[in-house]
Amino acid sequence: MSDYRERKALIGRGAVVWTRTAGAGPQRVLPDGCTDLIWSGTGPDGELIVAGPDTRAHLASGPPGTRAVGLRFAPGTGPAVLGVPAHELRDLRVPLAALWPDAEVRRLAERIAERTAERNTGRAAERIAGRESAPGRVLEEAALDRLRTAEPPDPVLATIVAGASRGTGVAGIAAAVGLGERQLHRRSLAAFGYGAKTLGRVLRLNRALDLARTGVRFAEVAATAGYADQAHLAREVRTLTGVPLSRLLRAPGG
């Protein structure tokens, strides 16, 4: 069985640092409107990759016991750190070296290796408390460095996310931020990887899953999360995750 943990990140509201140890078989990673900067423990020195925003579930695989640490950005934050519009990474996993200069990626990998070695020998015990991951701290530091010199975030993003989270339609969100629907679509593609309508579907899915994991009946989940009925919930879950809701909840970590 895979092991997964996460904590709040230091780079802003909604961001998390997560750690996963692979179990037997692939793990289903669900769409969440986010991009991730990931260190994977494959190979002698590890690997740095970027996971773009997904429109469907992604099956992550690796040898059992392989460790990965990721920094998941809140919706709309990733492009400022990664330096590319989110839609260019949609449904993709790409090496970080495809986006950043080779020298910068090499320095980041070296810092992760050094911190990991320090932790393993116990010299960093005072700086890295409890079960904190050395790669996670280094990824946060790299993201903070980039954010200091990045362009200010698009001021409409928070309103778009809030509207999509509430289930507001595209026309309502466009009116709230003072944009035409085409302008809203372009800004949403750059920030989230897809339009406000798809973002709303993804956020509604995650809201429904949070309810279902607590044992709420599916009919009540559908009504509370904003679906027309339980059949609508079932169709959306299967479309976005590839499996029925009941099977999704039975899966390890579901």
Side-chain angles (χ1 to χ4, degrees), residues 3-199:
D3 178 66
Y4 177 87
R5 305 172 189 275
E6 67 178 42
R7 65 161 175 81
K8 293 181 181 178
L10 303 176
I11 65 167
R13 183 177 178 183
V16 301
V17 173
W18 55 263
T19 302
R20 183 181 71 236
T21 302
Q27 179 180 6
R28 193 175 301 274
V29 180
L30 304 183
D32 55 12
C34 302
T35 53
D36 296 60
L37 176 56
I38 302 170
W39 173 86
S40 173
T42 55
D45 300 317
E47 179 184 18
L48 287 162
I49 60 175
V50 172
D54 292 323
T55 57
R56 299 289 187 273
H58 170 80
L59 294 178
S61 60
T66 301
R67 183 164 168 260
V69 180
L71 173 57
R72 180 178 302 125
F73 303 106
T77 306
V81 176
L82 300 173
V84 295
H87 65 83
E88 293 187 10
L89 301 170
R90 184 173 56 230
D91 292 320
L92 295 177
R93 304 296 185 269
V94 300
L96 181 60
L99 307 180
W100 291 7
D102 288 342
E104 187 175 357
V105 176
R106 188 165 54 251
R107 287 194 299 270
L108 180 58
E110 290 170 352
R111 285 166 57 195
I112 290 175
E114 290 168 0
R115 294 283 188 89
T116 301
E118 288 177 352
R119 177 172 172 79
N120 290 342
T121 58
R123 290 197 298 269
E126 292 183 1
R127 288 191 292 109
I128 306 176
R131 303 187 67 167
E132 178 59 86
S133 68
R137 285 294 190 195
V138 176
L139 295 179
E140 284 181 295
E141 292 166 4
L144 286 169
D145 286 343
R146 284 224 151 203
L147 286 171
R148 291 188 185 100
T149 58
E151 292 292 325
D154 189 334
V156 305
L157 297 187
T159 304
I160 295 173
V161 172
S165 297
R166 291 192 299 267
T168 304
V170 171
I173 295 174
V177 297
L179 296 173
E181 291 187 23
R182 289 186 179 181
Q183 290 177 303
L184 172 65
H185 188 67
R186 286 196 297 270
R187 302 269 273 270
S188 296
L189 284 178
F192 312 116
Y194 26 69
K197 181 177 180 179
T198 299
L199 177 65

